[in-house]
Amino acid sequence: MAENKVPLLEKKKVYYDNCPGCVQELKNERSKGMPYRDFLRVWIITLCTGLPIASLFPFLYFMIRDLKVAKSEEDIGFYAGFVGSAFMFGRALTSTIWGLLADRYGRKPVIIIGIIAVIIFNTLFGFSINYWMAIVTRFLLGALNGLLGPIKAYSIEVCNKEYQALALSLVSTAWAIGLIVGPAVGGYLSQPAEKYPSIFSEQSIFGRFPYALPCLFISLFAVAVLISSIWLPETLHNHTANGKVENLEASPETKTITNEIEALPPKQNLLKNWPLMSSILVYCIFSLHDMAYTEVFSLWAESDRKFGGLNFTSQDVGQVLAIAGFSLLIYQLFIYPRFEKQMGPIISARICAVLTIPLLFGYPFMTYLSGSMLSIVVNCASVLKNILAVTIITGTFILQNNAVPQDQRGAANGISMTAMSLFKAIAPAAAGIIFSWAQKRQHAFFFPGDQMVFFLLNLVELIGLILTFKPFLGVPGE
């Protein structure tokens, strides 16, 4: 094929035959509007992988009780924490690998494998017959589901630069909604024979496996997402190391694309990229806080009032989280883009971290309320807490992806997912242990009972807030 060289000093962009990344970039350049179809794909894929992560929290308290592994009611939180940690521990071990594979073989294969993992291991978790089966299936679900890092890179590769903040906010929104709607599904559909005896009998499969229905529901949704992902376009550039591209027939929209490329510049060592590494650490601190809060909220709300809880049912918790999820969707679509544009990712994260601290200090005092007043206060607090959290997380997403070039985003997000997963693996186990300990000190002088739990959550939030300031946090481009 003919060679078309471009002088090094020119800013003109060069595209290459049969390279999916080039085809997508050219499409982005020619299309000035918002890529609604691609954004919808990103949204449902992220939602699919986010749903099973926290769907267990509304019924985990009762599941541990039914598996008869806890010796006393106060010990349920201890064992529940390790089940919550298993997923994140598995993901921590493999996230960097999945990121490297996404940079080597493409975003699409990693995304497909992640969806298949959701279908298989989320279903098996619902049919767990003992504590160790629950641990193992959650671990494998995390280890084989490495698509969150690649989908973040993918989201900003299917749109123009002006829509990249929105693309990342869609990922964080879908992820956050999955972490909220997932528990809503778990709350409403778990123990169906008890909640809906006219539909499900005690002798039916869902009577014998009371936590299988919500898992099966999510897995069926994942099947639909898997089918739709067949038409997912690849966005990774396939230029080879020696500068050649495959000698294949050019697509109609890339007839002027060249077949030779200049020598690629050496890739930067990501571990020496301080804007990336500092934003990842800030992201990890806030992620630890959010995961611990998710674990604590469900355990606290469902525990007995004599232990400082609200005595909610799994359905009550599911309803609270469903309302928060719907509110979060409205916020991300209509409010967040303007807020982020005005304040920027760092300032918005600081504001939200400051507001979170007094909010969490008020949680233990909700036990003095009852009836409709309790319901209103809990729902308002849950909505506000999740809005603040997703604003912070989205800001760190933007900082991370702006700190690296396109061909290193998969690896960068893999490192981010590995570090974040380690922190999130620690969070539920630590939260469960602290929660069980706090329930045994209801009459202590210093932060009695669950006041200690929320005090420690605020301490983590304060550390994250401090780390958003210079000289710690590096800003891309400075």
Side-chain angles (χ1 to χ4, degrees), residues 286 289-291 293-294 328 352 356-357 359-360 363 379-392 457 461:
F286 285 117
H289 174 273
D290 293 342
M291 193 66 178
Y293 167 81
T294 302
L328 192 62
C352 291
T356 298
I357 293 174
L359 176 65
L360 286 183
Y363 269 63
N379 278 287
C380 289
S382 180
V383 168
L384 183 56
K385 171 65 179 71
N386 284 285
I387 284 175
L388 296 174
V390 78
T391 302
I392 296 171
L457 284 174
E461 187 80 359

Side-chain angles (χ1 to χ4, degrees), residues 18 68 197 209 313 329 342 366 432 459:
N18 298 287
K68 303 187 186 304
F209 296 95
T313 66
L329 176 61
Q342 291 293 325
M366 294 180 191
L459 188 60

Side-chain angles (χ1 to χ4, degrees), residues 172-296:
S172 61
T173 302
W175 185 256
I177 289 177
L179 297 182
I180 295 171
V181 176
V185 172
Y188 281 109
L189 299 185
S190 61
Q191 300 168 306
E194 295 181 20
K195 296 174 183 174
Y196 318 108
S198 60
I199 303 176
F200 303 96
S201 69
E202 291 288 348
Q203 290 72 39
S204 67
I205 187 170
F206 297 119
R208 290 182 286 116
F209 296 95
Y211 310 105
L213 183 58
C215 296
L216 192 60
F217 179 87
I218 292 172
S219 296
L220 290 175
F221 174 71
V223 170
V225 174
L226 177 64
I227 294 172
S228 69
S229 298
I230 295 174
W231 294 276
L232 200 68
E234 181 58 72
T235 61
L236 182 69
H237 291 273
N238 65 359
H239 308 153
T240 57
N242 62 1
K244 303 288 185 180
V245 292
E246 295 180 11
N247 187 16
L248 303 175
E249 183 180 355
S251 61
E253 63 176 336
T254 57
K255 296 215 182 261
T256 61
I257 293 175
T258 61
N259 299 305
E260 302 286 336
I261 64 175
E262 305 295 338
L264 296 175
K267 292 185 178 181
Q268 181 184 9
N269 186 339
L270 294 179
L271 299 179
K272 296 180 179 180
N273 184 334
W274 182 243
L276 172 66
M277 301 311 294
S278 61
S279 62
I280 286 177
L281 184 54
V282 173
Y283 172 57
C284 288
I285 296 296
F286 285 117
S287 295
L288 183 147
H289 174 273
D290 293 342
M291 193 66 178
Y293 167 81
T294 302
E295 173 87 8
V296 164

Side-chain angles (χ1 to χ4, degrees), residues 278 281-282 285 462-470 472-474:
S278 61
L281 184 54
V282 173
I285 296 296
L462 179 61
I463 293 172
L465 172 63
I466 293 172
L467 294 183
T468 63
F469 289 90
K470 294 181 179 180
F472 181 81
L473 184 64

Side-chain angles (χ1 to χ4, degrees), residues 42-58 87-88 91 114-115 117-119 122 138 141 145-149 151 170-186 214 218-219 221-222 225 291 294 417 420 424:
V42 167
W43 199 86
I44 63 171
I45 289 170
T46 309
L47 179 64
C48 165
T49 195
L51 282 172
I53 292 178
S55 62
L56 78 165
F57 288 120
F87 175 91
M88 292 299 169
R91 196 167 72 175
I115 298 172
V118 170
I119 296 170
N122 183 61
R138 290 290 294 182
L141 174 60
N145 184 358
L147 65 79
L148 181 57
I151 200 67
L170 284 174
V171 173
S172 61
T173 302
W175 185 256
I177 289 177
L179 297 182
I180 295 171
V181 176
V185 172
I218 292 172
S219 296
F221 174 71
V225 174
M291 193 66 178
T294 302
M417 289 302 102
M420 181 268 287
K424 281 196 170 185

